[in-house]
Amino acid sequence: MRKKLTAGICSMAMLMTTIGTVTVIAGESAEDKKNMSGEITFSFWGIPEEVAVQEAITEEFNKEYPNIKVNLDHVSGAADFNTTILTRISGGTAPDVFYMGEVMVPIYADKGVVEDLLPYAEQDSLDLSDYWDGVLSPAGYHDGHLWAFAKDCTPYMIYYNKDMFDEAGVAYPDSSWDFEKFKETCIAMTQTDDNGKVTRYGIAPENGWPAWFNIAYKNGGKILDEEGKRMVVDPNTAEALQFYFDLANVEHCATNPDDMTSMGGGEIDAFKSGLASMVIGGRFMTYFLKDFDGNYGFTTFPIEKSEVAPLNFVALGMAKDSNNKEAAWEFIKFYCGKTGQEINSATGMGMPVMKSVTESGVWMLEGETQEQLDVILKQFNNTKDHPFHPEWMKLMDDIFARNMTEAARGKTTALEALENAAEEANAYLEEVGR
Amino acid sequence: MIKPGEVKVMKKKLNAVKIAEFVGMCILAFIFIMPFFWTVITSLKAPNEILTWPPTFFPEKPIFKNYTDVIKKINIFRMFGNSIYIALVTTVGQVFFCSLAGYAFAKLDFRGRELLFKIYLSTMMVPGMILLIPRYVIMRELGWVDKHVSVILPFIFGNAFGVFLMRQFYMTLPGQLKEAAIIDGASQPQIFIRVYMPLTKAIVSTLFVFSFMGSWNDFLWPLITLQSAKLKTLPIGLASFQSLYGVQYNLLMAGAVLSVLPVMLAFLLAQKQFIEGIALSGVKG
């Protein structure tokens, strides 16, 4: 689940000055680049296994670029990663390359603290057509920029416990399902005791923006207007979210945020412990289900009016005041290139961002089938940007999430929550002159 | 006059009160010990067993591998050593400087004392987040980023809370002690060290606990300033098990148990002083 930065950091970050000037990249031969020397710092978050991935990629990188030393800086507190990086940038010790969650790309770009990578890519004649549009577009590609280069990505999917479906005699869900079929499946997979108390939920749905926006998109909904400037009260969005929240509050076949609080864990823990037959998440679920005691499958979100599937991703950014931009670029290019992608995706934490690598399926885990690859590819071919905005923290992590959580808890309707959120968000945007 | 029969009734009443007290205490002890108990049993569970309903009070099959996994995945002993070192040095410094300042604000007469104290107290109103960048810039200018000194020095001189705590305590001690010592020819440092300091053992223990806990649990600042793996502290190491997408509860809890054991031991050994200190100050942690 995405964590929000505190308002304090937002205000701190506003103090930052724009550093650096436009980089002029001198033409160099491929051989010159291999002999390039220097030292760069690469900051990333992640569990210990992710540190091993960074080490493996760096080792491969050093086979090609033996004279570039990469200092791995593991910022273990993922939730405080951006606070750490922004403080370091403000303090004049920015890491040369660093992780950037998708929502942070326009924020860093807006603050002017990251390098535009498009001139570097063009200088090297990098074939950007081999990258999914769902990761290029949110990085400003269609506006003539590339504020960050995605390193891995994922659509959001629904994971289901095959053993429980077999036991209940319910057919496995597939990407042909619509909202009604989804609801029927959730109800069919819910179990109660003699007193009517739910002992197993059909689904433990995520209550956060990735799942909310996905379900809204599948109903043809939108969050911001066409220009991406103001929040809108879209009837399709309200309808989809109400349907989603009713699964818990009316049908009692799904957990709501209060259920999760009282259970004291995350949705994935509910799924792993057998308290829910289905759960929502990205490719990273595959990694966290490695020690799952059972069989599982995954499919798309139910499709009602639209097949679009936004991609969530983590990108690599280059600090504008990096002292070794060319070495930093070579590292980013390698990481997001074929070798880096294959190493990075083999863990099950994310999917490749290169079309050729994704389609090859070499990154799929043992036991995963062509059918599952097809489910994934179907979504990659129907991507749509999330409503990224430089004021995301305030608009989405605060206003939208706060209002919508009330609806998820059944305290208000999705439409009312949406109206309140839009009113508050748009007033805020007026106030800050956005 | 109390007759023998009435004594029996009173004894019975007393026994009933004692039993009620005992039962009450047992319930409270159970409530307080449950989170720790839960931490320990979760550290021995398989990931699939963590959130089962109804919850299992004892793991079906204890998995001690969680502990070896933690040790393999993060350098927990090194981190533990770093945490102990940083917390001890910081705490000793804080206690010393807060004692000095508290004594000065309570017992020394100088111009602007009250105003200075109020100004110092008002620093408690400044949110820590606002200080992050200026403090980081100072550390960078001094060349201390990614060194332990960056997480010790900014805090070693104490804080308004510690000074306030010590001042309030010193104010309760009689001024006549100072006057008597002056008549005996004692200097100010002698009065502080030989007359007043020995009387503050309990409150010093309290401040020690608060300061130690604060330093031990400090997360954000060490995360920002310590970059080398060999310098990192325990809270930073344990945070590795919490990713953006999920928490490895079994490993996190195993790490938490490993990290809390020595501190618990220290508390058990010194619990008399700690409890006296807390009772005296009327402040509970």
Side-chain angles (χ1 to χ4, degrees):
Chain A
M1 194 168 70
R2 300 283 157 188
K3 301 263 181 169
K4 62 183 176 186
L5 273 180
T6 63
I9 277 306
C10 292
S11 58
M12 276 190 319
M14 288 167 72
L15 297 172
M16 286 188 257
T17 52
T18 306
I19 311 154
T21 52
V22 178
T23 305
V24 180
I25 307 164
E28 286 173 299
S29 72
E31 199 50 42
D32 287 340
K33 287 193 170 178
K34 303 285 177 197
N35 293 327
M36 190 185 285
S37 63
E39 190 171 339
I40 57 168
T41 299
F42 168 41
S43 299
F44 56 95
W45 66 70
I47 54 178
E49 285 78 355
E50 285 181 76
V51 181
V53 171
Q54 314 307 342
E55 287 167 351
I57 291 175
T58 306
E59 198 182 320
E60 284 301 313
F61 174 71
N62 279 138
K63 284 180 186 165
E64 282 190 35
Y65 299 85
N67 302 321
I68 298 178
K69 187 182 176 206
V70 182
N71 297 316
L72 296 179
D73 171 34
H74 178 215
V75 181
S76 56
D80 293 302
F81 183 82
N82 293 314
T83 313
T84 303
I85 298 303
L86 285 169
T87 306
R88 289 183 186 167
I89 290 174
S90 309
T93 59
D96 302 278
V97 180
F98 56 93
Y99 266 21
M100 214 187 280
E102 68 288 271
V103 301
M104 291 305 293
V105 176
I107 297 172
Y108 278 103
D110 187 59
K111 293 182 191 311
V113 295
V114 287
E115 191 76 2
D116 184 357
L117 300 175
L118 194 57
Y120 294 84
E122 285 171 350
Q123 177 76 22
D124 285 357
S125 307
L126 200 65
D127 180 15
L128 289 174
S129 66
D130 193 21
Y131 288 83
W132 296 106
D133 190 58
V135 297
L136 292 178
S137 173
Y141 183 58
H142 298 304
D143 299 325
H145 304 285
L146 193 62
W147 296 116
F149 210 142
K151 71 163 190 89
D152 57 21
C153 60
T154 180
Y156 260 53
M157 297 176 286
I158 296 193
Y159 285 73
Y160 56 91
N161 184 326
K162 283 185 171 177
D163 301 334
M164 287 182 182
F165 273 75
D166 289 342
E167 186 191 309
V170 176
Y172 298 151
D174 60 45
S175 53
S176 68
W177 62 351
D178 58 12
F179 281 11
E180 193 54 37
K181 180 80 183 154
F182 175 50
K183 185 167 87 176
E184 281 169 14
T185 309
C186 290
I187 293 170
M189 292 308 298
T190 300
Q191 289 183 354
T192 52
D193 62 15
D194 296 340
N195 302 320
K197 185 175 163 25
V198 177
T199 52
R200 179 188 289 164
Y201 290 95
I203 188 166
E206 182 193 273
N207 274 300
W209 67 266
W212 291 338
F213 293 173
N214 264 285
I215 201 83
Y217 289 172
K218 297 293 194 228
N219 199 39
K222 58 186 175 187
I223 311 297
L224 298 183
D225 62 15
E226 295 305 324
E227 291 81 37
K229 300 225 183 247
R230 290 290 180 269
M231 197 177 280
V232 292
V233 182
D234 182 82
N236 288 334
T237 301
E239 184 184 48
L241 289 171
Q242 192 61 57
F243 162 80
Y244 190 69
F245 301 146
D246 282 351
L247 293 175
N249 302 319
V250 176
E251 307 294 345
H252 305 292
C253 59
T255 53
N256 78 9
D258 296 330
D259 297 322
M260 292 315 302
T261 306
S262 63
M263 282 196 261
E267 289 83 5
I268 191 166
D269 302 303
F271 182 77
K272 280 161 92 170
S273 301
L275 284 175
S277 309
M278 291 181 278
V279 69
I280 291 169
R283 175 67 176 172
F284 48 83
M285 299 294 267
T286 311
Y287 175 81
F288 286 98
L289 290 173
K290 267 202 310 195
D291 51 11
F292 177 58
D293 188 17
N295 298 300
Y296 69 86
F298 54 80
T299 189
T300 60
F301 262 60
I303 296 157
E304 189 70 11
K305 295 177 186 165
S306 166
E307 289 195 18
V308 294
L311 291 183
N312 286 65
F313 60 89
V314 175
L316 300 181
M318 188 202 297
K320 199 147 197 169
D321 57 353
S322 161
N323 291 323
N324 206 340
K325 290 180 182 169
E326 292 193 29
W329 165 247
E330 292 304 320
F331 182 71
I332 292 173
K333 191 173 69 176
F334 181 85
Y335 201 126
C336 303
K338 188 171 179 291
T339 310
Q341 290 295 287
E342 285 177 359
I343 298 172
N344 189 54
S345 309
T347 56
M349 286 191 227
M351 297 177 189
V353 290
M354 286 179 90
K355 290 178 186 172
S356 53
V357 180
T358 317
E359 285 161 355
S360 74
V362 293
W363 51 277
M364 297 284 281
L365 301 184
E366 199 182 331
E368 290 187 319
T369 60
Q370 181 63 38
E371 196 186 349
Q372 285 172 315
L373 180 59
D374 291 342
V375 166
I376 291 164
L377 291 177
K378 182 176 180 183
Q379 298 178 88
F380 271 72
N381 286 312
N382 281 295
T383 59
K384 168 183 168 133
D385 294 0
H386 274 303
F388 298 119
H389 193 282
E391 293 289 343
W392 176 282
M393 299 300 167
K394 184 70 183 171
L395 296 188
M396 303 304 175
D397 286 341
D398 177 10
I399 297 172
F400 193 87
R402 178 163 34 81
N403 283 288
M404 217 45 74
T405 300
E406 286 304 288
R409 297 174 65 220
K411 306 289 178 197
T412 181
T413 64
L415 182 62
E416 279 170 354
L418 205 51
E419 285 169 350
N420 291 340
E423 190 183 340
E424 194 181 337
N426 295 338
Y428 171 78
L429 290 170
E430 290 288 341
E431 190 186 318
V432 297
R434 288 273 189 187
Chain B
M1 194 183 233
I2 301 169
K3 292 172 191 168
E6 286 175 350
V7 173
K8 251 187 184 175
V9 172
M10 277 179 73
K11 267 190 182 169
K12 266 188 185 168
K13 268 187 186 167
L14 270 177
N15 281 343
V17 170
K18 274 193 174 170
I19 289 169
E21 272 180 2
F22 181 75
V23 171
M25 289 297 177
C26 283
I27 293 170
L28 282 178
F30 178 77
I31 291 169
F32 283 111
I33 212 161
M34 265 313 278
F36 185 67
F37 172 72
W38 207 252
T39 304
V40 174
I41 59 161
T42 306
S43 74
L44 294 170
K45 283 182 176 178
N48 297 343
E49 207 190 328
I50 288 170
L51 210 68
T52 45
W53 191 262
T56 47
F57 277 85
F58 294 97
E60 278 175 23
K61 195 178 151 200
I63 298 177
F64 292 96
K65 190 173 159 287
N66 289 337
Y67 283 85
T68 50
D69 277 357
V70 168
I71 293 165
K72 263 189 233 157
K73 288 181 178 187
I74 61 171
N75 196 348
I76 194 162
F77 297 116
R78 175 99 195 203
M79 289 170 172
F80 184 81
N82 290 338
S83 279
I84 284 276
Y85 164 66
I86 291 165
L88 272 183
V89 175
T90 310
T91 303
V92 168
Q94 283 192 0
V95 169
F96 177 69
F97 288 110
C98 288
S99 293
L100 273 180
Y103 175 74
F105 281 126
K107 294 293 174 205
L108 300 185
D109 291 319
F110 56 90
R111 224 167 152 189
R113 185 179 78 168
E114 294 308 309
L115 180 67
L116 192 62
F117 180 65
K118 279 175 189 158
I119 292 172
Y120 191 46
L121 262 194
S122 67
T123 59
M124 285 175 83
M125 309 294 170
V126 181
M129 293 297 259
I130 288 177
L131 302 175
L132 279 183
I133 293 177
R135 197 191 288 149
Y136 188 82
V137 171
I138 294 170
M139 292 299 122
R140 188 202 64 200
E141 289 302 313
L142 292 170
W144 288 350
V145 169
D146 205 23
K147 288 180 184 158
H148 275 161
V149 66
S150 67
V151 288
I152 294 174
L153 212 82
F155 309 105
I156 203 167
F157 299 109
N159 52 43
F161 168 74
V163 172
F164 177 73
L165 193 72
M166 294 308 292
R167 174 188 178 262
Q168 296 309 99
F169 187 78
Y170 275 113
M171 284 178 77
T172 64
L173 299 177
Q176 288 92 325
L177 291 175
K178 186 176 136 193
E179 287 155 16
I182 289 172
I183 291 168
D184 289 342
S187 63
Q188 280 299 348
Q190 278 175 326
I191 297 171
F192 172 64
I193 294 166
R194 300 181 64 176
V195 178
Y196 282 103
M197 277 270 289
L199 301 173
T200 60
K201 246 169 45 184
I203 195 73
V204 161
S205 306
T206 308
L207 184 58
F208 190 93
V209 174
F210 284 133
S211 302
F212 190 87
M213 277 168 55
S215 182
W216 185 262
N217 292 326
D218 196 11
F219 176 70
L220 189 57
W221 177 247
L223 181 75
I224 291 170
T225 186
L226 299 178
Q227 293 163 23
S228 306
K230 63 179 186 208
L231 297 178
K232 293 189 173 177
T233 56
L234 258 183
I236 301 179
L238 294 182
S240 304
F241 300 115
Q242 301 175 64
S243 81
L244 279 179
Y245 315 113
V247 181
Q248 295 171 303
Y249 284 107
N250 50 338
L251 299 182
L252 182 64
M253 295 304 165
V257 171
L258 283 177
S259 65
V260 87
L261 278 179
V263 185
M264 264 183 67
L265 201 67
F267 179 81
L268 288 176
L269 291 176
Q271 80 173 304
K272 189 167 164 272
Q273 278 80 4
F274 291 152
I275 290 167
E276 270 177 14
I278 289 166
L280 272 174
S281 68
V283 181
K284 292 190 178 100

